[in-house]
Amino acid sequence: MVRPKSYDRQKAVENACLAFWEHGFQALGVRELEQQTGINQFAIRSEFGGKEGLLLEALNYYRDAAITNEMAPMWDGGIPEIITFLRGLVTPGSMTSSQFGCLMVNTGVENARLKSPALGEATRGYWTELESHFTRALENELRAQGGKVRFSPAELAAALVSAVMGVHVQNRTQKDQTAGRALVDLMCNRLAELRASS
Amino acid sequence: MVRPKSYDRQKAVENACLAFWEHGFQALGVRELEQQTGINQFAIRSEFGGKEGLLLEALNYYRDAAITNEMAPMWDGGIPEIITFLRGLVTPGSMTSSQFGCLMVNTGVENARLKSPALGEATRGYWTELESHFTRALENELRAQGGKVRFSPAELAAALVSAVMGVHVQNRTQKDQTAGRALVDLMCNRLAELRASS
DNA sequence: ACCCTTTCTATACAGTTGAATAGAAATAAT
DNA sequence: ATTATTTCTATTCAACTGTATAGAAAGGGT
């Protein structure tokens, strides 16, 4: 009854995600996007709502993948799971480790000028999600340690989020997915101390 | 003998710096740049070498101002001077504290795609300069403490640079020049410990 | 075979981009 | 006043932007 689509939607979003991740939103033209993703220009409009709509789908894809593959263990874990997450930021193979930094960081920096409400909500939601996972893990840890308060989960979680951003930017500016290692080590040592000295 | 320029060069570069800082490089058109800086389009080309040339001058201005006003005390100082610098990142009034983040961070993120050698060198130079100041201050501190090695100046300095980047990105994405406070507090506490427990 | 629906290719569109240039304007020296 | 030099204004330029659309292509149903 219908002509079949020439692309796989899932794969297309995945490709779009990688393309925006590497090149950013503004610098990536629709025609270049067409080639990098395999989606034809018509479909970008009719199926995704244009360039920004495609980025939004890419952001959702990125968020879901990050939550599932990287953040999830922290939800019922403690400091060891946070440390594993942080190490992933500078460990080849992890999806949160890239010489292009982080799609959410890059988009957030761009959107400070673009001021797109949709993009703002998408990036903000991601960092809220990450902070929640950090907070959960720290609260779990605190409970397991018997409540002797040596740190504030909320404060420490907020600091960790900024640190994650810093690692990503360092990786991107240096074109080296391990460039942020020094800060990761420092944060991991700090966390290990909080656990050991309970 | 000549028609006088309609703008003050120093003020113009300063304005360009602020404009690029807020809006970024790609998103800021030459015509908008004209209005924000008071420089006419002709002068942007003939005096600064076009849009990129103007950004390069703005980066130099930013770097010199940051070194003079913010980094300099660390050169002959120690951990207290580092703490003062870090606090400045989230303290209104300091030039390194802005809801637009950091011109060097923003430019670095953009240039990962633009791949301009000149911009790359300018931003890289800035972070090298900052890391050198951190390292110097930490070495000064170590010497003053009598050489009992409790930390590696080079490692700690590298971590501090990434942390600074993270604070800036946090400030920009939240449009709040104090948004990165939690990480600043954490790093300052860590530094204070290293000093106290000597 | 023919039709109907969906998707794709190719082109067109108005708006913007950074850069370039020609002529006007402003100054100082003569 | 006239001239020489520099700077500015206004316009032009080709290239590119994201979006829109018309007609071709590809299927399945009859």
Side-chain angles (χ1 to χ4, degrees), chain A residues 2 11 17-18 29 44 49 59 61 78 81 98 106 116-117 146 156 169 173 175-176 179 189:
Chain A
V2 299
K11 262 275 184 267
C17 179
L18 292 171
I44 290 177
L59 290 173
Y61 171 83
E81 283 70 27
S98 164
N106 303 347
S116 155
L156 186 46
V169 169
T173 58
K175 297 192 233 293
D176 172 8
N189 288 342

Side-chain angles (χ1 to χ4, degrees), chain B:
Chain B
M1 196 69 170
V2 299
R3 175 174 179 173
K5 288 179 167 62
S6 64
Y7 57 90
D8 176 56
R9 201 175 206 281
Q10 158 106 12
K11 263 275 185 265
V13 171
E14 201 176 320
N15 289 340
C17 179
L18 292 171
F20 283 124
W21 193 345
E22 176 172 356
H23 303 292
F25 179 66
Q26 308 174 84
L28 191 56
V30 175
R31 288 155 187 86
E32 190 179 349
L33 197 52
E34 216 179 342
Q35 298 183 326
Q36 299 245 0
T37 60
I39 323 175
N40 60 76
Q41 224 178 109
F42 184 85
I44 290 178
R45 263 190 36 77
S46 60
E47 284 287 313
F48 300 96
K51 190 174 133 177
E52 182 173 326
L54 183 54
L55 173 56
L56 281 168
E57 286 230 24
L59 290 172
N60 284 340
Y61 171 83
Y62 184 96
R63 182 202 59 208
D64 291 345
I67 292 176
T68 303
N69 302 325
E70 308 291 336
M71 295 184 202
M74 294 191 285
W75 196 251
D76 295 313
I79 283 179
E81 282 70 28
I82 298 179
I83 290 176
T84 300
F85 177 87
L86 294 178
R87 292 240 163 272
L89 298 176
V90 289
T91 303
S94 159
M95 83 153 275
T96 47
S97 160
S98 164
Q99 62 168 323
F100 305 123
C102 167
L103 177 59
M104 293 291 170
V105 168
N106 304 346
T107 304
V109 169
E110 280 197 78
N111 197 50
R113 147 89 198 212
L114 302 178
K115 297 184 168 65
S116 156
L119 295 181
E121 195 179 353
T123 54
R124 212 173 319 116
Y126 180 84
W127 300 115
T128 302
E129 194 73 46
L130 179 59
E131 192 167 342
S132 297
H133 279 79
F134 283 148
T135 306
R136 268 281 294 211
L138 290 169
E139 284 171 346
N140 293 342
E141 184 75 34
L142 211 57
R143 207 177 313 112
Q145 287 189 14
K148 188 172 52 168
V149 177
R150 310 183 49 83
F151 57 87
S152 152
E155 272 286 306
L156 186 45
L160 284 168
V161 169
S162 294
V164 168
M165 291 178 174
V167 170
H168 283 308
V169 169
Q170 185 70 275
N171 286 353
R172 182 172 178 89
T173 58
Q174 307 269 349
K175 298 192 232 294
D176 172 7
Q177 65 188 148
T178 70
R181 170 152 293 167
L183 180 55
V184 167
D185 287 345
L186 185 146
M187 298 303 282
C188 288
N189 288 343
R190 183 78 180 149
L191 289 167
E193 278 176 29
L194 290 174
R195 184 177 171 82
S197 66
S198 63

Side-chain angles (χ1 to χ4, degrees), chain A residues 1-4 26 28-31 41-42 45 50-51:
Chain A
M1 195 66 172
V2 299
R3 175 174 181 173
Q26 309 175 84
L28 191 56
V30 175
R31 286 154 187 88
Q41 222 178 111
F42 185 84
R45 264 191 35 79
K51 191 174 134 178

Side-chain angles (χ1 to χ4, degrees), chain A residues 81-132:
Chain A
E81 283 70 27
I82 298 179
I83 290 175
T84 300
F85 176 87
L86 294 178
R87 291 242 164 272
L89 299 176
V90 290
T91 304
S94 158
M95 83 154 274
T96 47
S97 160
S98 164
Q99 62 168 323
F100 305 124
C102 166
L103 177 58
M104 294 290 170
V105 167
N106 303 347
T107 304
V109 169
E110 280 197 78
N111 197 50
R113 146 88 196 212
L114 302 178
K115 298 184 168 67
S116 155
L119 295 181
E121 196 178 354
T123 54
R124 213 173 318 118
Y126 181 84
W127 299 116
T128 302
E129 195 72 46
L130 179 59
E131 191 168 343
S132 297

